[in-house]
């Protein structure tokens, strides 16, 4: 059982935004440890239903009496200071704490917090590592950024000292944690609304690797120069690299072949010696790299290579990671979370390894700032698809102070010599696809917002 001394004084904990991916996981862990948890959220969801089944009181809307009975109020980043429950907590002098800070306190309850970070691939790699630890009977606690069917949710409550979490660099929240092991998958230009420059992103990762203790473990992508540079910045005694193009890495993949589904099979070498053959049930070369990161970590934890092989073969992807949704007119519909140019290119490359007729992408840009900052990169990345449909920008946390629209992206794609269509409504998009996609085509809905609704609309109409 993890050591909960540092949070014991908060017997009654209220959580605003309890239905969120990370918040719901924290709530379940605390509930398992015997804390009295209440929470609120703006809307009912699968997560709030699950918490309700655990016996946690969840209010849709507000119940200010929960604040009065609390020792501390935890709130997610989306909650504004003028939220009625935040105002009530201030009025009653109940301490409040942001989710990442509180999760940091929880990481200090475990002797072995394993953090998976990087701009892309966090959810997939966290899922892979989690399944290997479960199959090795290590009974980990887990927090992952998407629904994972093997744990029937986005979290698992274990009773060992292993706590496997996705650690996001946005607003430097990963600096709140106390990791024993870190995987850094890649460092790319993202979240410029917060970081402003790529140099600032790199500085955040430097601070992050400095958090590791002397007996810590650092796993770095040997194909990414910015990751390799971090080896100089840490006091961790164990540093392990992996790669595909960098054959000086400790772990590297060779002889990669893809089947008709685009699933890779490859040989892994450890320190120049053949380690094992691996087959994955997720497509794309980017997932070979994610698997290498997972294997490098699991090997350090002395997990048997046959256990790793078996767990990775069973992994068919996290929710919204190139997820098959169904068929329409004989065309296959996939849904993917990719919302950065690098992720779009990785998805397109994974698609290229499959057998199909024409490819269609329905892209919903995510946030005005990202669309504005990376407009040319988005346009170039989308050229990898035969047919391009662009929905309105999903605002998320922003208002449009950037003077940017999806039509600007469509215009840029056209300037690069390819046709693209702006789709102002979901209905128009669905009707257009219904009339135009044919047998053996592949449709990918891409983005981190509501674009995920397109697939079901297509299939169920």
């Amino acid at each position: 059982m993890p050591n909960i001394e540092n949070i014991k004084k908060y017997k009654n904990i209220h959580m605003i935004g309890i239905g969120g991916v990370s918040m719901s996981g924290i709530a379940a862990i605390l509930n398992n440890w015997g804390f009295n948890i209440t929470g609120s959220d703006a809307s009912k969801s699968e997560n709030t239903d699950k918490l309700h089944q655990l016996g946690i009181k969840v209010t849709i809307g507000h119940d200010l009496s929960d604040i009065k009975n609390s020792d501390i109020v935890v709130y997610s980043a989306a909650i504004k200071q003028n939220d009625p429950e935040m105002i009530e907590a201030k009025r009653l002098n109940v301490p409040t704490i942001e989710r990442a800070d509180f999760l940091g306190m929880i990481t200090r309850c475990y002797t072995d917090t394993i953090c998976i970070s990087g701009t892309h691939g966090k959810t997939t790699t966290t899922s892979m590592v989690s399944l290997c630890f479960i199959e090795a009977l290590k009974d980990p606690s887990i927090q992952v950024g998407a629904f994972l069917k093997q744990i029937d949710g986005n979290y698992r409550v274990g009773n060992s000292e292993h706590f496997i979490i996705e650690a996001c660099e946005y607003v430097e929240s990963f600096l709140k944690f106390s990791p024993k092991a870190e995987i850094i998958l890649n460092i790319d230009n993202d979240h410029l609304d917060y970081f402003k420059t790529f140099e600032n992103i790199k500085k955040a990762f430097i601070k992050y690797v400095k958090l590791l203790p002397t007996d810590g473990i650092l796993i770095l992508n040997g194909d990414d120069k910015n990751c390799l540079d971090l080896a100089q910045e840490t006091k961790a005694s164990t540093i392990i690299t992996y790669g595909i193009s960098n054959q000086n890495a400790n772990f590297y993949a060779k002889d990669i072949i893809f089947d008709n589904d685009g699933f890779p099979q490859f040989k892994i070498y450890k320190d120049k010696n053949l380690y094992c053959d691996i087959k994955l049930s997720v497509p794309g070369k980017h997932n070979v790299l994610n698997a290498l990161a997972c294997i490098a970590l699991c090997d350090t934890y002395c997990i048997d290579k046959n256990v790793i092989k078996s767990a990775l073969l069973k992994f068919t992807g996290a929710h919204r990671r190139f997820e098959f949704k169904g068929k329409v007119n004989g065309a296959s519909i996939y849904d993917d979370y990719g919302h950065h140019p690098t992720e779009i290119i990785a998805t397109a490359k994974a698609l290229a390894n499959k057998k199909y007729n024409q490819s269609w992408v329905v892209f919903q840009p995510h946030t005005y700032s990202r669309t504005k900052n990376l407009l040319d990169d988005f346009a170039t990345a989308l050229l990898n698809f035969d047919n391009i449909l662009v929905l309105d920008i999903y605002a998320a946390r922003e208002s449009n102070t950037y003077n940017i629209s999806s039509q600007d992206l469509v215009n840029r794609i056209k300037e690069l010599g390819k046709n693209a269509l702006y789709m102002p409504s979901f209905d128009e998009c669905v009707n257009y696809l219904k009339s135009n996609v044919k047998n053996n085509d592949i449709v990918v809905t891409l983005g981190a917002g509501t674009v995920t609704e397109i697939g079901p609309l297509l299939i169920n109409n």
Side-chain angles (χ1 to χ4, degrees), residues 90-291:
K90 284 196 189 71
R91 189 181 75 79
L92 297 170
N93 290 324
V94 176
T96 60
I97 183 169
E98 205 268 320
R99 175 204 66 87
D101 291 289
F102 194 72
L103 183 54
M105 288 166 68
I106 292 179
T107 65
R108 288 182 274 289
C109 297
Y110 293 85
T111 57
D112 186 37
T113 296
I114 299 167
C115 292
I116 289 92
S117 17
T119 319
H120 321 289
K122 287 187 288 291
T123 298
T124 296
T125 309
T126 305
S127 303
M128 287 175 166
V129 169
S130 298
L131 295 189
C132 290
F133 271 66
I134 291 168
E135 188 135 339
L137 306 178
K138 288 188 177 288
D139 193 21
S141 294
I142 296 162
Q143 270 225 319
V144 60
F147 185 92
L148 182 60
K149 61 175 176 285
Q150 285 91 341
I151 59 173
D152 189 32
N154 56 298
Y155 59 83
R156 178 184 192 271
V157 179
N159 286 306
S160 74
E161 288 293 345
H162 306 297
F163 186 27
I164 301 165
I165 61 172
E166 217 173 294
C168 183
E169 76 278 10
Y170 184 59
V171 301
E172 298 183 277
S173 61
F174 63 179
L175 299 183
K176 312 283 176 59
F177 306 153
S178 293
K180 174 73 181 292
E182 291 178 355
I183 290 177
I184 301 183
L185 298 163
N186 38 59
I187 302 175
D188 203 347
N189 233 345
D190 198 15
H191 300 307
L192 292 176
D193 56 321
Y194 172 78
F195 285 111
K196 305 298 185 255
T197 68
F198 185 57
E199 282 308 308
N200 287 338
I201 299 174
K202 289 202 289 197
K203 281 178 191 156
F205 276 94
I206 288 170
K207 289 184 221 163
Y208 176 62
V209 298
K210 286 185 189 301
L211 298 175
L212 285 167
T214 47
D215 62 345
I217 298 161
L218 180 58
I219 312 284
L220 296 171
N221 179 351
D223 289 354
D224 183 320
K225 181 177 181 320
N226 293 308
C227 283
L228 281 179
D229 288 346
L230 295 171
Q232 270 69 77
E233 307 290 347
T234 183
K235 53 180 186 286
S237 52
T238 305
I239 300 173
I240 296 170
T241 57
Y242 65 89
I244 296 172
S245 51
N246 178 358
Q247 298 202 344
N248 291 320
N250 299 106
F251 285 83
Y252 65 89
K254 264 177 88 166
D255 305 333
I256 304 169
I257 53 168
F258 296 92
D259 66 12
N260 285 349
D261 290 312
F263 298 161
Q265 192 165 350
F266 50 97
K267 287 184 163 45
I268 289 186
Y269 288 80
K270 177 188 176 185
D271 299 328
K272 305 276 193 262
N273 299 310
L274 183 63
Y275 180 73
C276 69
D277 290 286
I278 290 279
K279 172 118 179 59
L280 300 181
S281 305
V282 284
K285 205 170 183 178
H286 62 294
N287 277 320
V288 175
L289 274 172
N290 292 335

Side-chain angles (χ1 to χ4, degrees), residues 371-387:
T371 310
K372 175 98 175 181
N373 284 321
L374 303 173
L375 188 73
D376 290 348
D377 296 340
F378 276 121
T380 309
L382 290 165
L383 297 177
N384 289 290
F385 297 88
D386 300 322
N387 304 277

Side-chain angles (χ1 to χ4, degrees), residues 3 18 29 59 65 97 111 136 139 145 183 196 231 268 283 285 343 377 385 404 421 432 446:
N3 179 358
I18 198 169
I29 288 171
T59 303
S65 68
I97 183 169
T111 57
D139 193 21
I183 290 177
K196 305 298 185 255
I268 289 186
K285 205 170 183 178
E343 294 163 354
D377 296 340
F385 297 88
I404 187 84
L421 296 173
Y432 183 84
L446 262 182

Side-chain angles (χ1 to χ4, degrees), residues 266-439:
F266 50 97
K267 287 184 163 45
I268 289 186
Y269 288 80
K270 177 188 176 185
D271 299 328
K272 305 276 193 262
N273 299 310
L274 183 63
Y275 180 73
C276 69
D277 290 286
I278 290 279
K279 172 118 179 59
L280 300 181
S281 305
V282 284
K285 205 170 183 178
H286 62 294
N287 277 320
V288 175
L289 274 172
N290 292 335
L292 279 168
C294 165
I295 292 160
L297 178 93
C298 291
D299 181 71
T300 314
Y301 279 84
C302 303
I303 295 177
D304 183 84
K305 63 182 80 164
N306 291 317
V307 170
I308 299 171
K309 276 176 77 153
S310 161
L312 287 177
L313 185 62
K314 287 176 193 163
F315 175 62
T316 53
H319 175 55
R320 299 217 60 216
R321 303 309 190 272
F322 215 103
E323 184 180 15
F324 178 68
K325 302 305 282 185
K327 292 202 170 213
V328 67
N329 303 352
S332 298
I333 316 296
Y334 290 86
D335 183 43
D336 194 271
Y337 187 73
H339 57 288
H340 182 282
T342 306
E343 294 163 354
I344 295 170
I345 291 166
T347 301
K349 283 183 177 165
L351 183 68
N353 295 312
K354 289 182 178 285
K355 302 270 188 286
Y356 62 92
N357 176 28
Q358 289 253 311
S359 65
W360 298 74
V361 66
V362 179
F363 179 58
Q364 182 184 48
H366 189 264
T367 71
Y368 300 108
S369 59
R370 189 183 280 119
T371 310
K372 175 98 175 181
N373 284 321
L374 303 173
L375 188 73
D376 290 348
D377 296 340
F378 276 121
T380 309
L382 290 165
L383 297 177
N384 289 290
F385 297 88
D386 300 322
N387 304 277
I388 306 163
L389 310 183
V390 183
L391 300 168
D392 276 323
I393 296 169
Y394 184 77
R397 51 190 171 262
E398 295 179 346
S399 51
N400 192 4
T401 53
Y402 297 88
N403 191 26
I404 187 84
S405 73
S406 288
Q407 188 64 55
D408 295 321
L409 179 55
V410 166
N411 294 346
R412 188 58 54 93
I413 294 166
K414 287 179 174 173
E415 284 165 20
L416 293 170
K418 196 151 195 177
N419 193 32
L421 296 173
Y422 165 55
M423 292 282 153
S425 81
F426 280 25
D427 286 345
E428 193 175 328
C429 180
V430 167
N431 292 336
Y432 183 84
L433 288 167
K434 274 244 155 92
S435 311
N436 288 283
V437 300
K438 295 184 174 58
N439 196 33

